[in-house]
Amino acid sequence: MDAAFFNNVGSEQRSEGDGSEHSSSRSGVGGGMFEYFGWVYHLGLNKLGHEYCHLRFLFIRGKYVEMYKRDPHENPGIRPIRRGAVGPTLMVEELGRRKVQHGGKGGDIYVLRFYNRLDETKKGEIACATAGEAQKWMEAFDHAKQQAEYELARGASARKKLNMEEEIDLEGHRPRVRHYAHGLKRLIKIGQGPETLLRQSSSLGPNSTEGYFQTDFGDAVEAYEWKCVRTVNGVRIFQDVANTESGKGVIVKAVGVIEATADTAFELILNTARHQRYEWDTLTGDLELIDSYDGYFDVVYGTFDPMYLSRWHSKKDFLFSRQWLRGQDGTYTILQFPAIHKKKPKRSGYHRTKINPSSWEIRNLNASMGSNTPRCLVTQMVEIPSKGWWRWKKNHFSNFEKSVPYALLCQVAGLKDYIGANPALKFKSAAFIIRSKVSDGAVSNAEYEAEAVQDEFYDAISSGSSSSDEESDSDELDQKDAKVKLKNVAWAISSLALKRASVANANKELDPKAAPITIDTKQFHGSFCKGKDEADTNCWTSPSGVGFMIRGRTYLEDNSKVKGGDPLLKLIAVDWFKVDKSIDRFALHPRCLIQSEAGKKLPFVLIFNLQVPAKPNYSLVLYYAADRPPNPNSLFAKFVDGTDMFRDARLKLIPSIAEGYWMVKRAVGTKACLLGKAVSCKYLRQDNFLEIDVDIGSSSVARRIIGLVLGYVTNIVVDLAILIEAKEEAELPEYILGTVRLNRVKLESAVHLQV
């Protein structure tokens, strides 16, 4: 679940080859049954209260989950040690990296936590070898939730709708929801075999051969203007010439294409093993992990001998923090800041220096035509003091090669050459293997349906349900891991129709039979003031949608996106509250605008309650009004009156830092985020409104990012666009529901609200 809330994310993932294709954002539930399987670690406490970490084979079929000690494909007839069902209330949260011991060996794993959003005492944990595998397991459980929702929706009686344990009829007829998935059962293998699941610092390999997207565009138009100023071993170094007059520093980046997966590059960059870093990193080769927090943040200490950088030979040391996140599209972002730590005071014989603030972005690319070699685009951005940069440029970069910033920028070239010299990092067994065929699962449908499943999955993996079989982990595992190679086919370059504007068809989304009313915004007053012009601060405005890229009419064919048009809904007011605890169902509060006489007369209002975790907590409440009710036959109406599962799968937010510190821009990103898959969202549909409560604090990554944003909030301009993701041809092109610009917000201006 834990993709970044303001994220450089979109969910377009495609692969094709041998007549099969997979799209996590378009796959139908009713049109074909998905089956996921692979090796994971099951974490928990035994009856004596001791922690355990057991290697287990996880199998997801429809909404049901089974856990085995051995691979059931290679051991026909083996019975699962745990079995449960996934329900619509199951939540999955990514907890980040954690060090564990298994079989006398230690390593880092990526942990997923499961819990019932209605009862968080029902919970459990599994772990994967890489963040990429963790993301794919989250997608697997999301498909299982969709299957559960599909069965509830098609139930003929209230009793059937409430029966969460109704068995799945895999052989029954399903309507063709997606034309390419009809009649197929997808067998999707996640992860490598058990012998390679737990990574050692000396043995890293790629974990995916799947490309995610082809273009280098985000979903918001950024103000960068990059100019190539130098090349180093095939790696280009760029300067941002659009912000040369800021006076705070020059932003420079190095960009290179590396023949490995994003997972592999990410693991190599984070790995602190000296023998490995010595082979590609000239500056931060000697690193020591000092502290780690919440799985996504750590502090490292390093030393380097500057003899190769300058004529001074005094040794130097440094401290910096690393914060990382993985987007819903598989893109990794790593932020590195200079830091201090009480465990590492200044050291005799070393000169303490500050490493330049920098960031990494690692994104998968589709393989080249006719090749199955994975590729990723690695970008490192570094902030350089303006004075030093202009001095180097004036002197034609003399002595630039002996500077710390240059050594940082050369890390991309070093990483590229290191991976190129180690073919095993490219072609080690793939982690994500897809086959599409008619059902021939190792465990037959009849066998599966013979026993009723009485436990939901979060019960089945909790410590309270631990069986004697689970306590024992001495059985020998078969080390053979079947490998299926999938040949990637590169997608064609998307069309260049980026200058076209997408205008919402109001007659399509709003009721054409209803007479539109005139919305007088002067009747509505929130606690947060509206700005008169761009020079105003601590205020809000509503920009047009031209700064956001959304799916065009031909998106399903060529992946093209277009500039957004004017929002469908009108932003009429904004409330900025300080609260003791997060407030849900705010529409029912007397202070809510919808409770006013003018608010009750509006045809429809979308209330977007953004809950910001801090000390104290804050709530930013946006009110979007329509001049007519939703068209009953529109996607908008389906979202407004649909199920929470449908809303979670479609509600999309595009963030953008229009002005502000570049590191905050990198953390927030410009990629669209499916909110329901990143954070917990609650919905309240009554009378003439729909309220959406977005709990940013439900995600550890989102909390970390919003904490960074709040530290600079008085100096940044934030643009947000809210929309409904279009997945079918009839729903395209997308349109923007509403936008907001938050201009240099002052936290102290929030009004205290008594709950």
Side-chain angles (χ1 to χ4, degrees), residues 578-580 583 589 591 752-755:
K578 177 170 57 179
V579 293
D580 297 327
I583 178 172
H589 194 280
R591 289 284 301 273
H752 188 264
L753 179 70
Q754 292 289 346
V755 180

Side-chain angles (χ1 to χ4, degrees), residues 399-640:
N399 296 323
F400 179 53
E401 290 82 357
K402 297 182 179 181
S403 68
V404 169
Y406 181 79
L408 287 172
L409 293 169
C410 284
Q411 288 177 321
V412 177
L415 191 67
K416 179 179 180 179
D417 289 345
Y418 173 69
I419 292 177
N422 290 270
L425 293 173
K426 302 180 186 179
F427 298 107
K428 204 170 179 178
S429 60
F432 193 40
I433 304 174
I434 305 172
R435 290 186 289 122
S436 297
K437 64 176 185 176
V438 179
S439 173
D440 64 349
V443 183
S444 70
N445 300 330
E447 291 174 340
Y448 192 81
E449 294 174 353
E451 299 182 30
V453 178
Q454 300 299 329
D455 294 322
E456 294 197 45
F457 182 62
Y458 39 74
D459 290 322
I461 66 171
S462 64
S463 58
S465 63
S466 181
S467 63
S468 57
D469 285 340
E470 177 67 20
E471 297 297 330
S472 173
D473 197 42
S474 59
D475 290 337
E476 188 174 331
L477 292 170
D478 193 339
Q479 299 296 309
K480 296 180 181 179
D481 184 29
K483 301 178 182 178
V484 180
K485 294 184 178 179
L486 178 66
K487 186 177 182 180
N488 283 342
V489 177
W491 287 86
I493 298 177
S494 59
S495 63
L496 300 177
L498 298 179
K499 294 185 178 180
R500 294 178 296 166
S502 174
V503 180
N505 186 350
N507 290 326
K508 175 183 176 183
E509 299 300 319
L510 300 179
D511 192 349
K513 298 179 181 180
I517 69 167
T518 301
I519 301 175
D520 184 7
T521 57
K522 295 180 181 179
Q523 301 180 63
F524 307 100
H525 303 283
S527 61
F528 197 46
C529 65
K530 182 178 180 179
K532 297 179 181 179
D533 53 47
E534 296 299 325
D536 282 355
T537 61
N538 195 37
C539 61
W540 66 269
T541 56
S542 182
S544 70
V546 296
F548 302 95
M549 305 303 298
I550 60 179
R551 297 181 177 186
R553 187 175 298 278
T554 59
Y555 178 81
L556 297 182
E557 301 173 6
D558 55 21
N559 216 30
S560 65
K561 294 187 177 183
V562 299
K563 289 185 177 182
D566 291 332
L568 179 68
L569 307 179
K570 188 171 186 178
L571 182 59
I572 58 175
V574 176
D575 275 325
W576 176 229
F577 292 125
K578 177 170 57 179
V579 293
D580 297 327
K581 62 179 181 179
S582 296
I583 178 172
D584 295 328
R585 304 168 71 91
F586 175 68
L588 305 180
H589 194 280
R591 289 284 301 273
C592 184
L593 179 147
I594 199 67
Q595 297 298 330
S596 67
E597 289 301 319
K600 293 177 180 178
K601 293 178 181 179
L602 292 171
F604 178 78
V605 180
L606 175 65
I607 304 172
F608 196 76
N609 179 15
L610 200 59
Q611 300 170 346
V612 182
K615 293 181 181 180
N617 295 311
Y618 298 92
S619 272
L620 181 73
V621 186
L622 311 174
Y623 301 92
Y624 294 96
D627 59 3
R628 284 168 288 166
N631 185 343
N633 300 318
S634 67
L635 174 64
F636 184 38
K638 188 176 180 181
F639 176 82
V640 170

Side-chain angles (χ1 to χ4, degrees), residues 67-141:
M67 186 178 285
Y68 298 84
K69 285 190 174 182
R70 300 184 183 90
D71 186 345
H73 301 99
E74 300 177 2
N75 298 271
I78 187 175
R79 297 179 66 84
I81 59 174
R82 295 176 183 272
R83 171 180 287 179
V86 171
T89 58
L90 178 77
M91 300 299 292
V92 186
E93 180 181 9
E94 189 176 2
L95 300 182
R97 286 158 58 106
R98 184 186 301 175
K99 289 189 177 294
V100 297
Q101 294 289 329
H102 177 79
K105 298 180 180 179
D108 293 326
I109 56 176
Y110 292 80
V111 182
L112 298 179
R113 181 173 77 99
F114 301 86
Y115 65 93
N116 184 341
R117 67 181 180 185
L118 302 180
D119 183 4
E120 292 198 24
T121 62
K122 299 179 178 180
K123 57 188 178 181
E125 292 182 347
I126 64 170
C128 312
T130 69
E133 290 181 19
Q135 181 69 26
K136 294 178 179 68
W137 276 115
M138 290 197 296
E139 293 173 1
F141 279 97

Side-chain angles (χ1 to χ4, degrees), residues 128-372:
C128 312
T130 69
E133 290 181 19
Q135 181 69 26
K136 294 178 179 68
W137 276 115
M138 290 197 296
E139 293 173 1
F141 279 97
D142 182 62
H143 278 132
K145 288 176 64 175
Q146 292 181 32
Q147 181 66 35
E149 181 72 10
Y150 173 78
E151 294 184 10
L152 288 175
R154 71 170 186 164
S157 66
R159 181 175 181 179
K160 285 185 178 181
K161 286 188 177 184
L162 292 175
N163 182 9
M164 295 298 298
E165 308 310 325
E166 181 184 4
E167 294 181 353
I168 302 175
D169 183 8
L170 294 178
E171 301 296 332
H173 172 70
R174 302 282 174 84
R176 193 171 80 173
V177 179
R178 309 289 189 269
H179 66 279
Y180 51 76
H182 178 55
L184 297 177
K185 174 176 291 185
R186 300 297 182 102
L187 299 180
I188 301 175
K189 177 181 178 181
I190 302 177
Q192 303 180 43
E195 71 279 5
T196 56
L197 184 60
L198 187 63
R199 299 171 293 101
Q200 298 300 307
S201 59
S202 60
S203 176
L204 293 173
N207 300 292
S208 173
T209 58
E210 300 306 315
Y212 287 85
F213 46 85
Q214 185 72 22
T215 66
D216 190 24
F217 298 104
D219 292 316
V221 179
E222 294 188 276
Y224 291 111
E225 185 178 353
W226 296 105
K227 179 181 179 181
C228 184
V229 296
R230 207 168 183 83
T231 58
V232 180
N233 296 335
V235 173
R236 296 167 295 160
I237 297 179
F238 294 82
Q239 175 195 353
D240 177 19
V241 296
N243 296 305
T244 56
E245 298 180 358
S246 63
K248 296 182 179 179
V250 175
I251 309 304
V252 184
K253 72 175 181 179
V255 181
V257 176
I258 295 178
E259 291 188 342
T261 64
D263 286 343
T264 298
F266 171 74
E267 297 296 339
L268 286 171
I269 293 169
L270 282 194
N271 194 352
T272 59
R274 177 184 300 179
H275 72 277
Q276 191 175 71
R277 296 194 76 94
Y278 271 11
E279 295 196 45
W280 66 271
D281 187 354
T282 61
L283 182 66
T284 59
D286 288 293
L287 291 182
E288 176 188 351
L289 181 64
I290 301 302
D291 220 336
S292 180
Y293 312 88
D294 70 21
Y296 295 95
F297 184 89
D298 64 19
V299 177
V300 294
Y301 169 80
T303 61
F304 71 94
D305 190 337
M307 61 179 298
Y308 300 107
L309 301 180
S310 70
R311 58 192 179 90
W312 304 106
H313 295 287
S314 60
K315 292 186 177 180
K316 297 186 178 182
D317 64 353
F318 53 85
L319 278 163
F320 64 89
S321 64
R322 304 184 300 182
Q323 177 180 336
W324 58 88
L325 56 96
R326 186 182 192 274
Q328 289 173 338
D329 63 350
T331 299
Y332 292 98
T333 300
I334 306 172
L335 306 177
Q336 299 180 165
F337 291 94
I340 58 175
H341 199 283
K342 61 182 180 181
K343 292 183 180 179
K344 284 293 180 179
K346 290 186 177 180
R347 183 177 171 186
S348 177
Y350 285 81
H351 173 68
R352 179 64 53 90
T353 187
K354 286 187 177 181
I355 294 293
N356 300 64
S358 62
S359 71
W360 293 85
E361 184 180 90
I362 311 142
R363 59 176 62 186
N364 276 308
L365 298 174
N366 289 326
S368 302
M369 185 68 70
S371 171
N372 63 352

